[in-house]
Amino acid sequence: MDETLIATINKLQDALAPLGGGSSSPVDLPQITVVGSQSSGKSSVLENIVGRDFLPRGTGIVTRRPLVLQLINRRAGHSNNDLININSTKENGEVSENNADEWGEFLHLPNKKFYNFEEIRNEIVRETDAKTGKNLGISPVPINLRIYSPHVLTLTLVDLPGLTKVPVGDQPKDIERQIRDMIMKFISKPNAIVLSVNAANTDLANSDGLKLAREVDPEGARTIGVLTKVDLMDEGTDVIDILAGRVIPLRFGYVPVINRGQKDIESNKTIREALKDERQFFENHPSYRAKAQFCGTPYLAKKLNGILLHHIKGTLPDIKMRIEHSLKKYQQELTLLGPEMAESPASIALSMITQFTKDYNGILDGESKELSSQELSGGARISFVFHEIFKNGINALDPFDQIKDADIRTIMHNTSGSAPSLFVGTQAFEVLVKQQIRRMEEPSIRCINLIFDELVRILSQIISQPQYSRYPALKELLSQQFIQFLRDELVPTNNFVVDIIKSEETYVNTAHPDLLKGSQAMQIVEEKFHPQPQVPVDPKTGKPLPPTQAQKQQQQHPQEQKDDNPNGFFGGFFSSKNKKRLQSMEAPPPVLRATGTMTERETMETEVIKLLISSYYNIVKRTVADIVPKAIMLKLIVRSKDEIQKELLQKMYSHPDLEDLVKENEMTIQKRKECLRMVEVLKNASEIVSSV
């Protein structure tokens, strides 16, 4: 069972390898990531765990791409467990260690087995250069290497470039930052176990590997320390304090190991021999003797295997969920992007027009899928324009902004012609009301324009959806044609609404049931000017006085009712002082204006007309506020809903450049490729996980 768990993660690593190990992968796999400064002995630790030389060596940055190293324990296939020389080559006069039970396979070279570990090293160098070039740059795309051997424990490690401070040769100037960023991408994932390799003969507090590990894991909960070069420490010093967790404690503790020195490598000392020497060193060293079974590479491999297994068991359910979740997300995105263009241009245009019509009607009717709780949209905004903006705009019109009392007085005289009127003239009322009704035309036209803007806004809302951006040229044409169609519809709508206002203006319905009757108006004004006399009260008793006394009291303050205004309507145009002018009877001036104070009768008549204008104007306001939105609805909104599909089909379906218009947007093509790759990778991963 344990083996299958690690094998599952290995398969997942291979499946997700095309996505790179960086942040682009949607699934965070449990893996042991190896960090440490350059020359801290990272490569040697890994080779000791594998038991074979296979990593590139040299000065400067050797590891320049992450190496995902999957070790698979495989029982020896031969009865005599001797080393069988596959290539039967002699290396420096000795039989090579290459044999039929140990081999490596690269993910980028499927079905090719490397029995010669020297070739594995060359392939790593070649594949690194292929991605990073010769100038020692780095790349985050991992190399996946699988090693099958009876001498390894099933384990997966990610070897990362060593931390470096100074660029060498023609390396990029910011190489330190680049490496640091790459390492951080790997180790900051919560499922990464950090294997921090530190040289024991330098101060642990200065260790770059530990410093980075502490940044992402301050508690030391997922960091394990490896101390290399224990044999190179000064006489009388040891790492017992570190191992006991007294210096920088880590949850998984530290494991001391001994690697081959440069001299051992040059003298072709095999790793098997080196491991033997390592064991002897710890067993015979006075400081480590008591704890020898917790020291050395074999213990490190066993410990890593245990940690990884435990970690995988804990995270597998979450990994399953993440894979399914990501797969669903990319499949949905793929559905939105649509399949690659297999349809004819005409059918693409047809489906876009149909979709647009459906979306347009849906938004107007409030049946849109993406109904927002944050703001009003579509039909709701149109309703707001009708019932808030337009209605309030009409109600804000006040006829008496423009009609002054003097104007009413002049019009009354003008409409009564040569004979001064005996009664309030209906004509004066009509002339004034018609002038004011005309003012409603402007807000009504403004309302049409606001609705036009709202319909264009709905258009933008619809075509900003991802499925429309697939064919940018076709989307552009659809947008133009829709706006053109609305502009064409504006003309009859404007005419219709103007006619409605004109019809109100043309015929003033004085028989309207809600209109204040002339007699009522007269009565209201009469009461205002001549209020009914109060019954006089005796100030002492508070009781009404008898009629005779009341008359006496009234006679003391007789009401002056003099209708003969010496100034008259023309304000005493001819001054009575200038008798000569009166006698000569001069012709009236070219412009005659009504001046002078109004008589009480004129004032009362003016008030009556004002009451009637106010009453009728309110009736018209109500009618216009009700009927103009209906007219716009009929002529513009409903018509656009009913006719837009037919209109777009006529204009777009037979468009001469339809072939060019349905060319896909570059970004869509790129996105689809990306999604297809993701879906394929994640499907693969999903199958792997569901088998556990």
Side-chain angles (χ1 to χ4, degrees), residues 97 100 104 147 171 186 282 314 390 511:
E97 275 196 302
I147 291 180
Q171 274 176 354
F186 275 88
F282 286 119
F390 178 62

Side-chain angles (χ1 to χ4, degrees), residues 540-583:
K540 289 175 187 167
T541 61
K543 289 177 183 172
L545 289 169
T548 49
Q549 272 181 287
Q551 276 169 351
K552 271 185 198 167
Q553 256 195 355
Q554 271 192 326
Q555 278 161 6
Q556 284 169 7
H557 313 284
Q559 213 165 13
E560 294 160 31
Q561 290 190 343
K562 286 166 79 181
D563 204 19
D564 264 345
N565 185 346
N567 292 344
F569 176 59
F570 296 109
F573 186 76
F574 302 110
S575 164
S576 50
K577 292 171 191 159
N578 193 342
K579 286 190 177 167
K580 267 190 187 168
R581 281 177 75 185
L582 288 175
Q583 287 163 1

